[in-house]
């Protein structure tokens, strides 16, 4: 970005930044603090220190480290999706029903939702290198336990260990990626991390399922742990000590909650994710029962959903800095449109496949926009702000699955898109009436 502000509390005085409607000098903009006040820049050329800590290195080193971080994000998201593809095998191995075994997924999501903020506050005073290596270490050990689990209780305990590492990882990963990025490439850095998460759905889960079918589900968990070990070694060799200057404490919470922009983002996230997962949680049976797709075509369609998300990363990286308002309007208006079209677009196979790709592009764009703006508007408590983001996102996932389940049970799976669309309309109205004006009017709203 031209201002050098994104993901940091650094503002070069005398440079020009603009909000959604007008130009203003960085001297006037200053730095947004977590208590809602503004810290003025010094004289021309003065730089206010960032809240992450110094990271030194050439562009080549930064890009290489971002590739490793993207690979690590791929691993972390793969382990979240893998149990979905192995549910039947795990249930059969322990002599349990699939419904009970699915607690591995439900408990995991809710545990991440509940524990993201407390865990981030607990480790917030430590350096980022230490935090990163510690949670990947916990991730590796937990997968080793999963691979040798003798009963379901042992497997569940190991998954809670993974959930702890997951909760902290996503609280620090995006802010770190944005901070490490070469100057002017912060959107591209976040896009790389999101691409890693998208590839987990496209490649990670199918690969884990194939390994599980041929070698057993325990081997799948072992392989994920092995990949994490590789990431651990690479990061131990490459990642320098990065001081943690974040205000990651309970004292930072009132300022974050009082921020009109962050409060607006959090409300929008909850409503939009609730709407999305009301429909998406049941997209596989919907495509088979309503669109009449075969198992193989349904699998291909879901993979294309993820591939389209990679396209969002490219668009976001290239254009977001100059078109922030347009991107927010696109995701806010697009969400109800795409959900209301869920049933009508199944009139033939081609339209259904194309529809899912547009949906995948839209929702990934939503993730990028909301997470980037959360980072942008919380320079002094970014990790805490992102941990709240993660918690709300996971609550929305669980809530959407619950609402969708009630619709399927009480009415018909064919109408889940309409119910999700109705919730998305509320999200859209909130975004356009409350979030967009707050975002464009905030001191950090520039560009």
């Amino acid at each position: 970005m031209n201002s050098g502000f994104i993901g940091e509390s650094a503002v070069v005085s005398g440079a020009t930044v603009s909000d959604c409607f007008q130009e203003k000098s960085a001297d006037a903009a200053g730095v947004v603090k977590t208590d809602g006040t503004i810290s003025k820049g010094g004289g021309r050329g003065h730089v206010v220190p960032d809240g992450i800590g110094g990271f030194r290195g050439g562009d080549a080193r930064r890009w290489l480290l971002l590739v490793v971080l993207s690979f690590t994000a791929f691993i972390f998201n793969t382990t979240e999706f893998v149990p979905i593809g192995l549910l039947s095998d795990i249930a059969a191995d322990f002599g349990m029903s699939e419904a009970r075994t699915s607690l591995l997924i439900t408990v995991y999501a809710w545990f991440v939702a509940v524990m993201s903020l407390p865990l981030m506050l607990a480790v917030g005073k430590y350096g980022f290198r230490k935090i990163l290596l510690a949670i990947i270490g916990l991730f590796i050990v937990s997968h080793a336990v999963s691979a040798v689990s003798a009963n379901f209780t042992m497997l569940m305990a190991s998954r809670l260990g993974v959930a702890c590492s997951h909760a902290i990882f996503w609280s620090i990963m995006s802010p770190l990626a944005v901070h490490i990025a070469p100057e002017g490439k912060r959107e591209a850095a976040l896009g790389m991390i999101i691409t890693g998460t998208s590839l987990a759905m496209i490649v990670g889960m199918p690969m884990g399922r194939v390994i599980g079918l041929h070698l057993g589900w325990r081997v799948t968990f072992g392989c994920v742990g092995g990949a994490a070990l590789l990431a651990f070694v690479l990061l131990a060799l490459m990642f320098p000590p990065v001081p943690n200057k974040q205000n990651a404490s309970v004292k930072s919470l009132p300022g974050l909650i009082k921020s009109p922009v962050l409060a607006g983002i959090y409300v929008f996230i909850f409503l939009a994710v609730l709407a999305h997962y009301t429909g998406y949680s049941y997209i596989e049976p919907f495509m088979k029962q309503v669109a009449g797709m075969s198992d193989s075509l349904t699998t291909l369609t879901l993979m294309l959903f993820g591939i389209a998300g990679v396209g969002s990363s490219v668009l976001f990286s290239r254009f977001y800095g100059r078109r922030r308002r347009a991107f927010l309007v696109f995701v806010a208006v697009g969400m109800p449109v795409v959900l209301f079209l869920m049933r009508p677009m199944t009139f033939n196979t081609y339209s259904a496949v194309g529809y899912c790709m547009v949906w995948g592009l839209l929702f990934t764009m939503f993730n990028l926009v909301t997470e980037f703006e959360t980072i942008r508007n919380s320079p002094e408590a970014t990790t805490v702000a992102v941990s709240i983001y993660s918690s709300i996102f996971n609550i929305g996932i669980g809530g959407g699955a619950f609402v969708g389940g009630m619709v399927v049970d009480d009415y018909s799976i064919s109408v889940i898109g309409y119910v999700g669309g109705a919730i998305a309309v509320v999200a859209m109205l909130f975004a356009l009436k409350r979030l967009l004006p707050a975002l464009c009017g905030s001191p950090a709203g520039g560009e």
Side-chain angles (χ1 to χ4, degrees):
M1 309 301 288
N2 295 329
S3 69
F5 180 82
I6 308 302
E8 307 176 12
S9 57
V11 177
V12 181
S13 296
T16 300
V17 294
S18 62
D19 64 15
C20 295
F21 304 106
Q22 61 185 355
E23 297 291 323
K24 63 178 75 173
S25 70
D27 279 324
V31 180
V32 183
K33 290 188 176 183
T34 56
D35 61 3
T37 62
I38 301 173
S39 173
K40 297 289 188 182
R44 180 174 294 276
H46 175 74
V47 178
V48 182
D50 63 82
I52 299 289
F55 179 87
R56 301 183 183 277
D59 285 359
R61 182 186 179 193
R62 289 171 181 262
W63 284 122
L64 184 58
L65 185 52
L66 283 168
V67 169
V68 176
L69 291 175
S70 183
F71 171 65
T72 309
F74 165 79
I75 296 168
F76 269 74
N77 253 38
T78 293
T79 200
E80 184 176 14
F81 295 137
V82 152
I84 297 173
L86 300 174
L87 207 60
S88 298
D89 294 335
I90 296 173
D93 201 11
F94 290 133
M96 299 167 53
S97 67
E98 291 183 2
R100 187 183 172 198
T101 308
S102 68
L103 287 173
L104 286 172
I105 302 166
T106 305
V107 172
Y108 185 100
W110 285 105
F111 193 81
V112 171
V114 171
M115 296 304 296
S116 288
L117 181 58
L119 287 173
M120 192 62 244
L121 293 174
V123 304
K125 64 181 180 180
Y126 299 104
F128 283 100
R129 184 179 191 273
K130 185 177 293 186
I131 295 173
L132 189 59
L133 294 179
I135 60 177
I136 297 176
L138 174 61
F139 185 93
I140 294 167
V141 171
S142 297
H143 277 81
V145 175
S146 295
V148 298
S149 293
N151 52 58
F152 185 74
T153 301
M154 188 175 177
L155 179 59
M156 177 64 81
S158 72
R159 292 298 294 172
L160 293 181
V162 177
C164 286
S165 61
H166 179 123
I168 301 173
F169 178 83
W170 287 114
S171 295
I172 67 172
M173 180 50 51
S174 296
L176 272 181
V178 167
H179 174 72
I180 289 168
E183 186 63 31
K185 300 295 182 181
R186 292 178 171 89
E187 294 97 332
L190 183 58
M192 287 178 65
I193 300 301
I194 298 298
T195 296
T197 65
S198 297
L199 290 175
M201 186 185 302
I202 302 164
V203 178
M205 186 174 73
M207 186 182 298
R209 177 165 170 75
V210 169
I211 293 172
L213 290 175
H214 289 86
L215 301 175
W217 61 267
R218 289 181 173 83
V219 177
T220 297
F221 285 118
C223 289
V224 174
L229 179 60
L230 174 61
F232 180 92
V233 172
L234 291 173
L235 289 171
L237 293 173
M238 296 174 58
F239 202 91
V242 179
N244 184 355
K245 299 178 183 179
Q246 287 281 294
N247 182 19
S249 66
V250 175
K251 295 179 180 179
S252 67
L253 293 177
L256 293 174
I257 296 171
K258 291 177 183 178
S259 165
V261 176
L262 288 175
I265 291 171
Y266 292 150
V267 173
F268 180 51
I269 291 167
F270 173 73
L271 292 171
V273 173
L274 179 69
H276 169 78
Y277 279 95
T278 295
Y280 183 74
S281 297
Y282 301 90
I283 190 171
E284 182 183 11
F286 181 91
M287 288 299 168
K288 292 165 66 175
Q289 297 174 28
V290 181
M293 289 185 177
S294 64
D295 286 336
S296 58
L297 185 56
T298 299
T299 300
L300 175 62
T301 301
L302 294 179
M303 290 178 66
L304 291 173
F305 185 104
I307 291 172
V310 178
S312 282
S313 299
V314 175
L315 293 172
F316 181 86
S317 300
R318 294 192 62 183
F319 302 113
Y320 186 70
R322 301 188 300 273
R323 297 287 186 270
R324 291 174 59 227
R325 179 186 177 91
F327 272 74
L328 180 59
V329 171
F330 172 71
V331 297
V333 176
M335 194 71 72
V337 171
V338 78
L339 284 164
F340 280 130
L341 288 175
M342 190 172 180
R343 177 67 182 89
M345 290 303 291
T346 58
F347 63 88
N348 67 44
T349 299
Y350 296 108
S351 65
V353 171
Y355 161 80
C356 281
M357 293 185 70
V358 173
W359 191 1
L361 184 146
L362 176 75
F363 190 69
T364 303
M365 191 70 72
F366 162 81
N367 290 341
L368 287 162
V369 169
T370 54
E371 187 160 2
F372 197 78
E373 290 299 338
T374 301
I375 295 169
R376 183 187 182 92
N377 286 277
S378 57
E380 294 186 358
T382 308
T383 54
V384 176
V386 175
S387 69
I388 296 173
Y389 175 103
S390 178
S391 294
I392 294 173
F393 202 101
N394 279 277
I395 292 170
I397 292 174
F402 178 75
V403 172
M406 289 196 300
V407 174
V408 171
D409 289 341
D410 297 339
Y411 298 97
S412 168
I413 194 171
S414 64
V415 302
I416 54 174
Y418 299 128
V419 176
I423 300 171
V425 167
V426 179
M428 177 190 71
L429 293 175
F430 178 86
L432 298 181
K433 296 292 186 181
R434 298 289 299 276
L435 176 57
L436 189 61
L439 193 65
C440 293
S442 72
E447 267 185 44

